Amino acid sequence: MTRQPRFAAYPRRSPWLAGLALTVLAGPALAADRLKLILDDDVPMLHPAQLMALQSPRVDVLGITIVSGSTWRDENVAHALRMLEIIDRPEVPVVPGSAFPLVNTEKETERWESLFGKLVFKGPWMKQWVEDTVQTAPNYHAHDVVPDLPEGNPSLEASDEIAANFLIRKVREFPGEVTIIATGPLTNLALAQRLDPEFAATAKQLIYMGGSINPRQMRDSVSAAQFAREFINTPRLEFNFRWDPEAASITLRAPWKKITMIPVDPSTATELTPKLVERMSAAGTPLSKAFQDHLETGFPLWDEIATAVWLDPSIITKSSPLYVDVDTSFSAGYGQTLSWSEHYQPGLGEQLQTVVRAIDVERLENMMVELMNRPLQRGTSEQY
């Protein structure tokens, strides 16, 4: 028998959860009022961050645009398509974007390492870990190779549109209404902005996971210590920015109405633990089964914070207004986060952002549990 989630076990309910209950009661009648969202990501596996938005009845996911990052674009596309199959959401388009950074290359990265030291993580250019780690061994392969997926290969097909064009088309279709949550390198957004200088200004807002300010290890676990390697000696060096620094700089200088930055900093207090996965899998849905079989634990909740902050900004417990940019000089600082308080920025197009420094971890986890245990949001015409 399918076991239903027992939400009464989690008594702390945020204003977001109250809104969720009202939306559920209202049903399809409020479909036109749902929040419009595009997810731009390097989906490397079944991804709770994406699923939080897809499972929320408050949200109309217009599409998922894919970029290379943690793994190559085509492999990420396959993961996204398979995820949509598992939750029965075939109507959500998966749109391939950039396969490579604007300027950075594997050879240039190797040259940089020969001058300035080894990077902890290089995404699909990673051939082996520098030191012993609990993380899965890298699966190094060519950009156009898609290995068999552990969760099963998809039968759905990706859109034949280009991600940058899709992004431009959708923000122009719904001017001032589309939020973009970007949780991979920012190449797709930079290309869209270069193609259409009004792109960023036409969107509602940008929320992105990338960069780092001053992260510190907050959890006492083996996994937390492993991920702390990335910022012990280089606290401003984060993968999403480092993969494509030029794209990050272009995107962050664009004239968005509102920008929210999720740096590494708040993620150090979080971890996808086996206990959290068990709570997220309590309902016994096909998604729960996929989580139990294929969701790799131990990772910080980098991208999940971005989605959660959008759904319920009150989970933010500390933030700072900062101007943010990225170092694009081929030096030891290539790809590092640059930030300034008001009056100290150089004035070269930097935009003021809300930088999230800490969150309520318990409320984040409860939100994830609530959404992952909901009945699957079926992609029927009555919902749209």
Side-chain angles (χ1 to χ4, degrees):
M1 183 175 70
T2 300
R3 186 155 58 105
Q4 296 299 317
R6 300 183 64 180
F7 300 133
Y10 312 112
R12 292 187 63 187
R13 302 184 71 85
S14 70
W16 174 84
L17 292 178
L20 173 63
L22 289 173
T23 307
V24 171
L25 290 172
L30 290 181
D33 298 327
R34 290 189 302 162
L35 304 171
K36 293 178 174 57
L37 175 68
I38 296 175
L39 297 161
D40 185 77
D41 196 12
D42 55 343
V43 184
M45 58 181 180
L46 284 173
H47 205 329
Q50 309 287 2
L51 290 161
M52 290 166 70
L54 289 160
Q55 279 289 92
S56 172
R58 299 174 58 207
V59 178
D60 183 2
V61 179
L62 301 178
I64 304 174
T65 52
I66 302 295
V67 66
S68 289
S70 295
T71 51
W72 287 117
R73 178 200 63 189
D74 292 353
E75 186 174 348
N76 296 334
V77 165
H79 280 292
L81 291 169
R82 181 58 183 148
M83 176 178 68
L84 292 173
E85 284 183 341
I86 290 171
I87 64 171
D88 194 19
R89 294 294 300 276
E91 82 288 355
V92 177
V94 174
V95 190
S98 180
F100 300 99
L102 297 183
V103 177
N104 192 25
T105 66
E106 183 174 8
K107 290 295 184 184
E108 286 292 302
T109 297
E110 291 173 351
R111 176 170 171 258
W112 186 93
E113 288 184 307
S114 71
L115 294 170
F116 304 115
K118 303 299 183 184
L119 293 167
V120 173
F121 183 61
K122 297 185 289 185
W125 296 331
M126 202 78 194
K127 296 177 181 176
Q128 62 185 29
W129 299 110
V130 174
E131 58 183 315
D132 291 339
T133 177
V134 297
Q135 294 162 265
T136 304
N139 183 15
Y140 182 84
H141 57 78
H143 73 92
D144 55 354
V145 172
V146 179
D148 287 336
L149 307 184
E151 68 269 31
N153 298 326
S155 57
L156 288 176
E157 294 186 359
S159 168
D160 58 4
E161 193 170 7
I162 295 171
N165 292 341
F166 176 86
L167 287 158
I168 293 167
R169 179 168 65 84
K170 284 299 178 181
V171 299
R172 286 188 171 275
E173 182 180 350
F174 304 105
E177 296 185 54
V178 179
T179 294
I180 298 171
I181 298 181
T183 48
L186 297 172
T187 317
N188 290 338
L189 303 189
L191 289 169
Q193 182 62 26
R194 282 295 192 252
L195 287 167
D196 179 4
E198 302 301 317
F199 163 68
T202 308
K204 182 177 182 179
Q205 64 176 321
L206 169 66
I207 300 172
Y208 73 94
M209 189 279 135
S212 55
I213 305 297
N214 190 27
R216 292 289 183 269
Q217 182 179 342
M218 301 289 289
R219 297 179 67 93
D220 184 19
S221 69
V222 173
S223 294
Q226 294 287 317
F227 284 105
R229 295 173 302 170
E230 292 199 54
F231 49 79
I232 289 175
N233 296 310
T234 51
R236 293 278 176 141
L237 192 61
E238 181 272 335
F239 170 74
N240 282 346
F241 279 7
R242 180 57 179 76
W243 172 262
D244 196 342
E246 289 77 14
S249 183
I250 289 169
T251 301
L252 300 187
R253 292 188 186 194
W256 304 92
K257 292 182 178 71
K258 180 181 179 182
I259 310 176
T260 302
M261 176 190 189
I262 313 298
V264 169
D265 303 49
S267 73
T268 62
T270 70
E271 185 176 329
L272 186 63
T273 62
K275 181 179 179 181
L276 179 56
V277 173
E278 181 180 358
R279 290 177 60 199
M280 290 162 55
S281 305
T285 65
L287 177 58
S288 301
K289 178 73 164 56
F291 276 166
Q292 292 168 343
D293 292 345
H294 303 296
L295 196 58
E296 188 174 352
T297 59
F299 289 96
L301 300 173
W302 301 293
D303 301 352
E304 289 77 7
I305 295 172
T307 305
V309 161
W310 178 59
L311 290 169
D312 181 7
S314 69
I315 75 166
I316 301 170
T317 58
K318 182 181 179 181
S319 64
S320 304
L322 293 173
Y323 291 85
V324 180
D325 203 349
V326 184
D327 189 342
T328 57
S329 63
F330 193 82
S331 65
Y334 185 58
Q336 295 207 41
T337 307
L338 305 173
S339 64
W340 306 267
S341 299
E342 184 72 73
H343 307 303
Y344 288 91
Q345 72 276 18
L348 300 175
E350 308 84 12
Q351 302 295 310
L352 188 63
Q353 307 181 19
T354 298
V355 179
V356 176
R357 310 296 287 268
I359 60 159
D360 186 324
V361 176
E362 181 182 359
R363 285 175 64 180
L364 167 65
E365 292 183 350
N366 287 346
M367 183 190 297
M368 294 172 65
V369 170
E370 180 102 13
L371 287 168
M372 295 305 99
N373 281 300
R374 286 189 49 76
L376 298 181
Q377 296 295 308
R378 302 298 183 186
T380 60
S381 59
E382 288 79 8
Q383 289 186 324
Y384 290 89

